[in-house]
Amino acid sequence: MPSSSVVIVSKCTIYPEHKSPVKSLKLSVSDLPMLSCQYIQKGVLLPLPPLSSLDLISLLKLSLSRTLSHFPPLSGRLQTDAHGHVHIICNDSGVDFFHAKAPHLSTAALLPPPDRDIPPAYRKFFQFDNTLSYAGHDRPLAAVQVTELNDAIFVGCTVNHAVVDGTSFWNFFNTFAEMAGGAKKISKSPDFCRETVFNSPAVLALPAGGPSVTFSGDKPVREKIFHFSREAIMKLKFRANNPTGKLEPELSDPEILGKQSNDTWAVNSKSNGKISTVLLKKNPAAEISSFQSLCAHLWRSVTRARNLNAKKTTTFRMAVNCRHRLEPRLQPFYFGNAIQSIPTTAAVGELLSKDLGWAADKLHRNVLTHDDATVRRYVKEWESNPRLFPLGNFDGAMITMGSSPRFPMYDNDFGWGRPLAVRSGMANKFDGKISAFPGPEGNGSVDLEVVLEPETMAELENDAEFMQYVS
């Protein structure tokens, strides 16, 4: 692979086009635990725009300024008051903007064959490496780096995780693209209401100087994208929902991917000239979703690859969006963190001796029962013992699933074509960290960004049961 050096050409501060109408926002029960997490780093690889370098950077700076007017908290800074409560002060201090160049890097190098690891060059496309969200007291809450490549550009966004979750992050990113594409008004306005169950008088006690990272970033890991087509995922879903295997899935028919109450991806396709939708089961709530089936497949496969003691407990942790789980519901674009982490555990021996449906059902039941009462119970438990989020793999048997294939990552068309790929930086990565992205072709496909110890990754690559579903 050619040299991966990236040269920063310029750096400046981008201020919102209009002054903030919001004075401050208090960090919630869902925001505060993220102060020990690193800034989110996600970005899109875009085709080369029909613009000169000067015009491109001017357009993106102006678009970012306009976008910040709709997301005033991102131009602010964190501040802890005399009572220990942390607030976002919306003081229009601005965000960092970096213009970089790497003309020797091409899409051929950045999108290698599927048997290769993710190129390390992506790590150079983001700012604020190894920066904890607590640093937002002194540093910008967001940074954008635009890197011009040989035949493409990469737009990398880095945003404080105590300020946004994935839903809010991608709403900001989508709006940035919308503004660049010439939109006069935004399609999805963020909601800054703080009168929710997450608003709490509880104080999170922090050490002087702020928290420390909860995982080791020094251990060697490999990063790889495993792609799962719609057809492969439907086969996994069929296996999970029909453990006896007496029926055969009709993959030529369109099917809804996932539960209707909880899963927004749906696939329609033409059959005899008509578009139709078919359910595998009549009761959506009783059905294990596509994503739960895929997660169960990954959980079993990684656990097998780790060669753990049969009596050891393994944990699969996934974040759930609480916006639609509360009664009354939060606005879909409530700004901030509105997530809770659900751990599902099993003995290694039992997980591997049971079938896919058993593991998928455990995940399914945990998600299904995470209703309004459960969300509120989690809040009360945290208030009784305020603590930071324990991100990491502490016993060698944990998997943490982040991001979501439901996020509209490929909607980031800046005016000259949809993304070629979605990739992340080095933030919040450790052995067992998985991120789920929609596949580039859409249609219900999924890319899993998998981070594992080198020995475990090698075992996974040689696992025929796992790899038969990978394309």
Side-chain angles (χ1 to χ4, degrees), residues 126 142 397 401:
F126 299 91
M401 175 64 73

Side-chain angles (χ1 to χ4, degrees), residues 344-395:
T344 304
T345 61
V348 168
E350 189 170 26
L351 179 70
L352 299 183
S353 64
K354 302 286 188 179
D355 58 24
L356 175 72
W358 183 85
D361 187 61
K362 284 183 73 70
L363 296 172
H364 168 70
R365 290 177 185 276
N366 239 355
V367 172
L368 189 65
T369 58
H370 206 86
D371 55 9
D372 176 74
T374 307
V375 172
R376 294 175 186 274
R377 189 180 77 246
Y378 269 49
V379 170
K380 291 294 184 185
E381 288 175 354
W382 189 89
E383 288 178 319
S384 69
N385 179 28
R387 58 203 178 276
L388 295 163
F389 182 68
L391 189 64
N393 178 8
F394 307 109
D395 60 3

Side-chain angles (χ1 to χ4, degrees), residues 67-393:
T67 303
L68 291 172
S69 292
H70 298 283
F71 292 81
L74 294 182
S75 293
R77 299 292 185 270
L78 299 183
Q79 185 180 92
T80 301
D81 66 22
H83 303 288
H85 296 122
V86 184
H87 303 260
I88 307 169
I89 306 301
C90 304
N91 57 7
D92 301 318
S93 291
V95 306
D96 284 350
F97 184 94
F98 293 81
H99 175 204
K101 290 189 176 184
H104 44 272
L105 282 177
S106 66
T107 53
L110 293 170
L111 298 174
D115 61 330
R116 306 285 181 83
D117 287 6
I118 297 172
Y122 283 108
R123 299 176 186 174
K124 302 296 184 181
F125 297 162
F126 299 91
Q127 293 296 317
F128 296 168
D129 287 343
N130 303 312
T131 302
L132 299 191
S133 292
Y134 183 86
H137 282 79
D138 304 305
R139 305 187 70 170
L141 299 181
V144 172
Q145 179 175 317
V146 179
T147 306
E148 294 186 79
L149 309 167
N150 176 267
D151 57 354
I153 71 164
F154 192 92
V155 179
C157 282
T158 304
V159 184
N160 191 296
H161 207 336
V163 176
V164 299
D165 60 7
T167 298
S168 295
F169 177 92
W170 287 108
N171 190 24
F172 164 69
F173 212 146
N174 290 164
T175 304
F176 181 23
E178 216 172 32
M179 291 288 103
K184 300 301 180 184
K185 64 177 184 178
I186 68 174
S187 59
K188 300 170 183 175
S189 297
D191 175 64
F192 299 113
C193 172
R194 280 301 184 265
E195 298 305 314
T196 76
V197 66
F198 296 119
N199 187 28
S200 171
V203 173
L204 174 62
L206 293 166
S212 300
V213 68
T214 58
F215 62 90
S216 171
D218 300 329
K219 294 182 179 179
V221 292
R222 286 178 57 193
E223 300 178 44
K224 191 168 182 176
I225 295 287
F226 291 100
H227 178 73
F228 296 84
S229 68
R230 176 183 74 95
E231 290 76 16
I233 294 172
M234 292 311 303
K235 288 179 181 178
L236 285 168
K237 180 179 179 181
F238 179 82
R239 273 185 59 198
N241 283 285
N242 299 275
T244 59
K246 291 181 179 179
L247 300 173
E248 286 297 325
E250 297 182 18
L251 294 177
S252 60
D253 287 335
E255 295 166 315
I256 285 186
L257 296 182
K259 301 174 298 170
Q260 297 301 290
S261 62
N262 188 41
D263 198 335
T264 60
W265 3 317
V267 173
N268 291 325
S269 64
K270 290 186 177 180
S271 177
N272 298 323
K274 295 182 180 180
I275 295 178
S276 60
T277 303
V278 179
L279 281 175
L280 287 181
K281 288 191 175 184
K282 291 183 179 180
N283 179 7
E287 183 178 62
I288 297 168
S289 78
S290 305
F291 190 56
Q292 291 158 4
S293 304
L294 179 59
C295 287
H297 179 57
L298 181 77
W299 187 17
R300 297 178 75 243
S301 301
V302 171
T303 301
R304 186 163 53 242
R306 283 174 165 166
N307 294 310
L308 302 169
N309 186 296
K311 294 181 180 179
K312 191 175 183 67
T313 298
T314 175
T315 303
F316 191 99
R317 186 178 286 276
M318 60 198 309
V320 295
N321 183 0
C322 297
R323 290 169 176 82
H324 63 284
R325 298 176 190 278
L326 285 164
E327 295 295 342
R329 294 186 173 197
L330 298 184
Q331 291 296 314
F333 297 104
Y334 164 86
F335 184 85
N337 286 276
I339 54 176
Q340 289 178 339
S341 180
I342 303 179
T344 304
T345 61
V348 168
E350 189 170 26
L351 179 70
L352 299 183
S353 64
K354 302 286 188 179
D355 58 24
L356 175 72
W358 183 85
D361 187 61
K362 284 183 73 70
L363 296 172
H364 168 70
R365 290 177 185 276
N366 239 355
V367 172
L368 189 65
T369 58
H370 206 86
D371 55 9
D372 176 74
T374 307
V375 172
R376 294 175 186 274
R377 189 180 77 246
Y378 269 49
V379 170
K380 291 294 184 185
E381 288 175 354
W382 189 89
E383 288 178 319
S384 69
N385 179 28
R387 58 203 178 276
L388 295 163
F389 182 68
L391 189 64
N393 178 8

